[in-house]
Amino acid sequence: MSRLIRALLVGALLASVPALAQAYRIETFSEGLEHPWSLAFLPDGRILVTERVGRLRIVEADGSLDPDPVAGLPEIFVAAQAGLMEVALDPDYVSNRWLYLSYAHGTTQANNTRLARARLVDDELRDFEVLFTAQPLKAGASHYGGRIAFLADKTLVLTLGDGFDWREEAQNPGNHLGKIVRLNRDGSVPADNPLVGQTGAAAEIYSLGHRNVQGIVFDAEAGRLYSHEHGPRGGDELNLIEAGNNYGWPLATFGIDYTGARVSPYTELPGLTQPLLHWTPSVAPASLTQYRGALFPDWQGDLFAATLAERSVRRVRLHEGMLAGEEILFEELGERIRDVRAGPDGALYLLTDNADGRLLRVVPGD
């Protein structure tokens, strides 16, 4: 029996047994953010927040927003979906002070996702280094991916998009469109990447056949890398990422084009990896985290996916590494949720994607 079939069977069994709802309360922790995109928790209790419009902000431990953005950012291409995206701390941040940023780089006619790192010193970025720029540069301002995760060996993976109008290139191993790439933390290519040494292949590639991957998280306890990506109309996917695998876009998909036309007649094909689940109609998943905190015991080990179109957070229940049903949370907010993170205090943190965005904190309720 395949892993997917086992997961579906266990999921159907457990989903048929209603789970007791976990009581929670949502607090506004900070506000006044312009289209916030990503957050990272500093060891001193402060929080870094990116704004897609090209600013990196500091939220103090008491929730107050520093009025002055962090200095030292590079020039960023800001338009439509393009802008400043992820901020992530190095696994050894306490000793080396490196943080990583993803952002759109270039012009309207020639741009793509870029990865850089810098040190945060006295609330400004120093020792700024560009590590990677996805190729080729393309026109438009859509589908950048941009999420970052660190694996057990402390290499990093960066998610990328297909550029929207270049979806066929997601199947081309010679470029970075529609891929997840894996890099050493200095930007060099790990020698054991799956396509290293293959003629005509981009050595940075870790997996291919993606549309627009905007969520990724590494489950350190199980050694699994999960991601989700946007489909077109329908076909948003949650995937288990394995080195060298092809996830099918646009050869196989559960979604259709925005015109109503078929993207592909196939939902699966030999040699292509099936999603663990798909969301049809689309929920527009925007980020992914795993909960390992102490405040919500019932959520232990589960995945949480922020959504834009559904204006919710999807809790994906896991049981022994297999899917065990879903729960839709926080719809009462009625807001696009751009980021969801499990905080070091055991709370769940949310970023609302608005011109007047908020940082929310979810704690147990009565």
Side-chain angles (χ1 to χ4, degrees):
M1 187 182 297
S2 72
R3 179 180 61 220
L4 178 60
I5 294 174
R6 288 199 309 271
L8 292 174
L9 288 175
V10 172
L13 175 63
L14 295 183
S16 67
V17 179
L20 294 176
Q22 171 72 63
Y24 60 80
R25 182 177 73 254
I26 303 175
E27 306 170 342
T28 298
F29 187 72
S30 191
E31 53 192 340
L33 297 159
E34 186 174 0
H35 291 289
W37 210 94
S38 172
L39 64 95
F41 301 95
L42 291 168
D44 61 9
R46 298 182 300 166
I47 301 173
L48 291 173
V49 178
T50 61
E51 294 175 310
R52 185 184 52 77
V53 292
R55 293 187 293 265
L56 179 62
R57 310 297 298 273
I58 294 177
V59 175
E60 301 293 341
D62 64 359
S64 59
L65 178 65
D66 191 324
D68 298 319
V70 173
L73 281 174
E75 184 175 353
I76 294 169
F77 172 57
V78 178
Q81 296 176 10
L84 180 61
M85 294 177 287
E86 186 88 297
V87 57
L89 302 189
D90 190 282
D92 299 318
Y93 179 83
V94 172
S95 60
N96 64 27
R97 310 291 290 182
W98 286 117
L99 60 83
Y100 297 79
L101 297 166
S102 67
Y103 56 96
H105 166 76
T107 66
T108 302
Q109 296 303 315
N111 64 81
N112 214 322
T113 305
R114 172 167 280 186
L115 175 73
R117 70 176 181 177
R119 290 187 169 97
L120 182 65
V121 180
D122 296 330
D123 296 345
E124 68 175 274
L125 299 181
R126 299 182 185 175
D127 304 326
F128 192 91
E129 299 178 5
V130 173
L131 303 179
F132 169 81
T133 303
Q135 299 294 329
L137 301 184
K138 45 76 181 175
S142 299
H143 291 197
Y144 293 90
R147 295 292 184 185
I148 298 168
F150 294 92
L151 304 183
D153 60 3
K154 298 184 182 180
T155 59
L156 68 83
V157 286
L158 170 69
T159 73
L160 300 170
D162 65 355
F164 190 78
D165 289 326
W166 289 267
R167 66 190 186 195
E168 292 79 9
E169 293 301 312
Q171 290 295 320
N172 182 355
N175 64 47
H176 302 124
L177 295 173
K179 313 299 192 300
I180 294 175
V181 297
R182 174 173 172 249
L183 302 166
N184 293 315
R185 290 177 291 168
D186 64 0
S188 61
V189 176
D192 59 347
N193 266 3
L195 302 189
V196 166
Q198 293 190 21
T199 302
E204 299 90 351
I205 291 175
Y206 193 68
S207 63
L208 66 159
H210 301 288
R211 186 171 181 267
N212 188 21
V213 187
Q214 286 200 336
I216 194 160
V217 66
F218 180 64
D219 180 350
E221 290 191 13
R224 295 187 179 98
L225 181 65
Y226 295 98
S227 78
H228 62 51
E229 61 188 81
H230 291 257
R233 287 175 58 187
D236 301 340
E237 296 181 358
L238 176 70
N239 287 300
L240 178 64
I241 301 299
E242 297 181 345
N245 283 15
N246 186 330
Y247 290 82
W249 175 256
L251 300 178
T253 177
F254 288 90
I256 60 173
D257 212 339
Y258 295 108
T259 63
R262 276 186 175 183
V263 175
S264 169
Y266 305 106
T267 57
E268 59 181 292
L269 285 169
L272 304 181
T273 303
Q274 284 288 97
L276 296 177
L277 64 83
H278 68 92
W279 291 291
T280 302
S282 292
V283 299
S287 75
L288 188 65
T289 195
Q290 185 175 39
Y291 187 79
R292 294 288 187 190
L295 293 185
F296 296 98
D298 292 346
W299 292 354
Q300 192 64 217
D302 291 344
L303 301 176
F304 289 79
T307 77
L308 301 170
E310 190 176 67
R311 298 172 181 249
S312 72
V313 172
R314 286 274 180 142
R315 173 194 171 202
V316 181
R317 297 162 56 204
L318 296 180
H319 177 74
E320 296 181 354
M322 293 185 289
L323 304 190
E326 294 184 74
E327 181 182 8
I328 301 174
L329 299 170
F330 317 138
E331 283 186 298
E332 65 270 26
L333 291 169
E335 297 189 66
R336 289 160 53 93
I337 309 299
R338 174 60 71 179
D339 201 8
V340 56
R341 303 283 170 151
D345 58 355
L348 205 62
Y349 288 79
L350 315 175
L351 287 176
T352 64
D353 182 26
N354 299 306
D356 187 13
R358 296 183 292 160
L359 173 59
L360 307 177
R361 183 172 178 260
V362 183
V363 296
D366 298 329

